[in-house]
Amino acid sequence: MSDRLEVTVSNHPVRNRWEAITTNGDAAGYIEYASTEDVVVLEHVVVQPKYEGHGVGSTLVRQALDEVRAEGSRAVVPLCPFARTWITKHPEYIPLVYGEAAPAAD
């Protein structure tokens, strides 16, 4: 992976997506989601081609999961393959996934 790109991620509930904006104002990517009282469904992660490989997708997923965790009342359903794979590589987020158990302690 190349250098990590610094982006600001903001949730836009009216559009049902978290958006990543670069320091120069470019839209670098977004996560489309659906939500209910119980779950947030991560439907699709999109990164603009010129920003691929710079950590934008990872930053989007981490920010979305951190916001859901901070809210404390809903679980996540990662339909998007990128989000699902990212979570498996970061097991501290598995307890947020609907229907998943927390990893066993050693």
Side-chain angles (χ1 to χ4, degrees):
M1 173 157 69
S2 300
D3 293 328
R4 194 162 195 82
L5 181 68
E6 189 171 325
V7 294
T8 301
V9 176
S10 301
N11 186 3
H12 297 276
V14 172
R15 291 188 288 235
N16 289 324
R17 63 192 208 173
W18 277 278
E19 298 176 355
I21 305 298
T22 67
T23 55
N24 65 2
D26 285 347
Y30 58 89
I31 297 178
E32 292 179 337
Y33 68 88
S35 62
T36 69
E37 290 181 12
D38 299 321
V39 297
V40 176
V41 180
L42 303 179
E43 297 176 332
H44 194 54
V45 176
V46 175
V47 175
Q48 298 306 318
K50 73 180 187 177
Y51 296 116
E52 289 178 357
H54 294 280
V56 174
S58 294
T59 300
L60 279 161
V61 173
R62 183 181 303 275
Q63 181 70 30
L65 294 173
D66 286 347
E67 286 185 29
V68 172
R69 177 186 281 160
E71 178 189 279
S73 65
R74 295 189 284 177
V76 172
V77 178
L79 290 183
C80 172
F82 178 87
R84 192 170 44 249
T85 299
W86 191 93
I87 292 168
T88 63
K89 293 178 181 178
H90 300 85
E92 66 272 22
Y93 289 97
I94 291 174
L96 284 175
V97 177
Y98 181 81
E100 293 291 326
D106 290 334

